[in-house]
Amino acid sequence: MFFDVLSRITDPTTLIAIAASAVFGVFMGAVPGLTATMATALLVPITFFLPPIPAIATMVTATAIAIFAGDIPGCLLRMPGTPASAAYTDETYQMTRRGEAELALGASLMSSAFGGLFGTAVLIAGAPILAEFATRFSSVEYFWLVVLGLTCTVGIGSADPIKGIIALSFGLLVSMVGLNNPAGTPRFTFGQTALFDGVSLIPMMVGMFALSEILRFAASGTRSLDKVATPSGSILRGVGAMFLKYPVQILRGSMLGTLIGALPGAGADIAAWMSYGISRRYSREQEKFGTGHVEGVLEAGASNNSALAGAWVPALVFGIPGDSITAIVIGVLFMKNLNPGPQLFTSDPVSIYSIFALFVIANIIMIPLGLLAIRLFSRLMRVPRQVIMPCILIFCIVGSYAVNNSLFDVGLMLGFGVLAFVLEESGFPGSPAILGVILGSMLENYFVTTMISSGGDLTALVSRPIAATLAIIVVLIWSVPLLLRLSTRPKPINSAGH
């Protein structure tokens, strides 16, 4: 079997597919508005003309590289290339402004590679076990998982939790727009048919991160951005020391990413947000977060790439997509007569282990290709800002339009960009709002599904062991810091001096 797998992955067609899709993944990840999911969708027509293993190789490689490549514009320009990169964009950008672009990008690259290899190891060793665990989740477990994700985002991006809650509430409100609700009733569409499918996440994200930064540049002039230091030294210098300093955080992010990825419907985006939130909440240096702290970058970077491999667990074992990427991949697997399911492990183990090998190769070549991509992208920073900002604005418009081929999405991007600029100037973070949009509809659907199945009995939310455990974790996260703050508050001195 080893030599059969080796012959398949070293076939010239497979090697060419890996190389070409890696370059394609860099482009799709580094351009704001072009996501890893879009890269996978665009590769589907190409797979029609490829054998099974090269076809899967294109998707595995392109998505792994694209997830990391999204960190590059986020770090250098505060414009995340993918939604998963948005979780720690502010952190890496602050590091860049402080002259630590090399450390930020190096930490992101190596943690992504480590997380991807960790997730692959888990995929190889424990796919059936993790998939069986994931099948035990019903709507009530997913409800508490979403609540846990929202809980972890309250403190993200702002020193004021109240402003974080307000931003998150705004995102939840936006998620209610459209027909995608249990009742199928148009909400907040204002007669616009383009809003029936809800507010498109990609134009919103591009506007709130990219356009707001362009507006900030226009308002402040060239001086502030001219001070941003671009990578000029060794990208990997100091990364080893960071790995030795934060091994628990990197391992925790890799484990959480793999578990979240294995849960159908979650994916790398939620894994990155949750990992960053957990890193910030339980860090010994909480005051450094938001000012350019590498701890959250390492943990969330490891999490988003490990989630990619984790998402393949339910996809391969049960044919259940772990995220939007594997939903597309499952269609390709069926097209190539690699019908996902337990029988695939016994009927065609060579193909299964070939897919495992492709994950290993993709995460290894991510390192040299990532270093090259960082150098090439960094050259853009030498271009005068008066030239590069209009070009980036064009990419934002094209990327927003390409999602649904709709000018309405371009208008959404512009509107949310202006809104984000005003909010951030007032101290309101944009990151919780983005996650509120991602998780809001999921929260409502899982809650309503649970209520329908239980006949409106609220105790159903804690009637299952896993759901009750998640509920207890959520309560502890909210209550323990409050109780600790109350217990350490100094007692008032009475009139007697006691």
Side-chain angles (χ1 to χ4, degrees):
M1 185 183 297
F2 172 79
F3 289 105
D4 287 341
V5 171
L6 187 63
S7 64
R8 290 194 183 189
I9 63 175
T10 57
D11 182 84
T13 305
T14 305
L15 295 177
I16 294 174
I18 291 174
S21 59
V23 175
F24 178 69
V26 168
F27 174 78
M28 294 297 291
V31 176
L34 305 182
T35 65
T37 303
M38 190 182 299
T40 308
L42 292 176
L43 286 172
V44 172
I46 307 298
T47 61
F48 292 160
F49 308 99
L50 294 175
I53 298 304
I56 301 301
T58 60
M59 298 192 166
V60 171
T61 307
T63 53
I65 300 296
I67 290 292
F68 160 71
D71 297 346
I72 302 176
C75 176
L76 300 181
L77 298 172
R78 196 180 173 266
M79 299 176 184
T82 62
S85 304
Y88 45 94
T89 289
D90 288 335
E91 210 71 63
T92 56
Y93 184 67
Q94 291 300 324
M95 294 179 67
T96 299
R97 295 184 66 87
R98 206 168 56 228
E100 298 178 352
E102 296 91 347
L103 181 60
L105 289 170
S108 176
L109 174 60
M110 297 308 296
S111 63
S112 295
F114 178 86
L117 291 172
F118 181 92
T120 301
V122 174
L123 174 64
I124 296 172
I129 299 174
L130 286 176
E132 181 180 357
F133 179 75
T135 58
R136 299 177 184 176
F137 274 57
S138 65
S139 59
V140 62
E141 283 82 11
Y142 283 118
F143 168 79
W144 285 114
L145 183 66
V146 172
V147 173
L148 183 61
L150 293 173
T151 299
C152 293
T153 68
V154 169
I156 292 178
S158 175
D160 188 351
I162 300 299
K163 290 185 176 181
I165 293 175
I166 293 174
L168 178 62
S169 301
F170 171 73
L172 293 174
L173 179 64
V174 173
S175 71
M176 298 173 64
V177 176
L179 287 168
N180 298 324
N181 56 80
T185 303
R187 296 188 303 196
F188 304 111
T189 57
F190 304 103
Q192 294 288 334
T193 56
L195 288 176
F196 282 1
D197 288 333
V199 175
S200 185
L201 176 63
I202 299 303
M204 178 183 177
M205 188 192 73
V206 171
M208 295 191 71
F209 282 99
L211 183 62
S212 64
E213 190 63 28
I214 295 173
L215 294 175
R216 188 172 294 105
F217 164 77
S220 61
T222 60
R223 297 178 184 176
S224 61
L225 284 181
D226 281 340
K227 295 179 181 178
V228 176
T230 59
S232 56
S234 174
I235 301 298
L236 301 182
R237 182 183 302 167
V239 175
M242 293 297 99
F243 266 66
L244 293 176
K245 186 176 181 180
Y246 302 109
V248 175
Q249 288 81 349
I250 297 172
L251 185 61
R252 183 173 60 193
S254 300
M255 294 175 62
L256 179 64
T258 305
L259 290 173
I260 296 299
L263 300 175
D269 303 351
I270 296 177
W273 286 102
M274 289 187 65
S275 289
Y276 180 78
I278 290 174
S279 180
R280 179 167 186 160
R281 181 173 291 273
Y282 296 104
S283 173
R284 296 179 180 179
E285 303 171 301
Q286 292 185 9
E287 70 282 356
K288 293 184 179 181
F289 278 78
T291 63
H293 190 42
V294 75
E295 181 180 350
V297 177
L298 289 168
E299 184 161 349
S303 182
N304 60 16
N305 269 68
S306 63
L308 288 178
W312 280 68
V313 173
L316 287 177
V317 179
F318 292 104
I320 302 173
D323 56 7
S324 56
I325 293 174
T326 49
I328 299 172
V329 170
I330 286 177
V332 175
L333 289 173
F334 277 110
M335 182 179 65
K336 297 299 180 181
N337 293 321
L338 295 175
N339 299 347
Q343 71 281 356
L344 184 60
F345 286 78
T346 55
S347 63
D348 196 357
V350 175
S351 294
I352 288 293
Y353 281 97
S354 296
I355 294 174
F356 293 161
L358 291 174
F359 270 97
V360 176
I361 294 172
N363 285 284
I364 290 177
I365 67 172
M366 180 194 300
I367 298 175
L369 189 64
L371 293 173
L372 178 61
I374 291 170
R375 291 301 182 193
L376 292 177
F377 195 90
S378 299
R379 294 179 182 271
L380 293 176
M381 300 298 292
R382 301 177 184 176
V383 179
R385 299 296 178 263
Q386 297 91 334
V387 176
I388 195 173
M389 284 301 177
C391 293
I392 293 174
L393 178 60
I394 293 174
F395 275 117
C396 293
I397 294 173
V398 172
S400 299
Y401 178 81
V403 175
N404 297 309
N405 293 328
S406 171
L407 287 175
F408 186 83
D409 285 344
V410 177
L412 283 178
M413 184 270 295
L414 297 174
F416 277 107
V418 174
L419 179 62
F421 172 74
V422 174
L423 290 177
E424 290 184 357
E425 289 298 307
S426 303
F428 292 89
S431 300
I434 295 292
L435 195 62
V437 177
I438 296 175
L439 296 181
S441 58
M442 297 172 60
L443 180 72
E444 180 184 20
N445 287 329
Y446 291 140
F447 177 78
V448 172
T449 301
T450 302
M451 291 297 98
I452 291 175
S453 61
S454 65
D457 185 6
L458 290 174
T459 60
L461 294 174
V462 292
S463 61
R464 294 162 58 93
I466 298 178
T469 302
L470 292 173
I472 292 173
I473 293 174
V474 171
V475 172
L476 289 176
I477 290 176
W478 280 101
S479 60
V480 169
L482 180 61
L483 293 176
L484 289 176
R485 182 175 298 181
L486 293 176
S487 64
T488 56
R489 179 178 297 178
K491 297 180 180 180
I493 301 176
N494 57 28
S495 59
H498 299 290

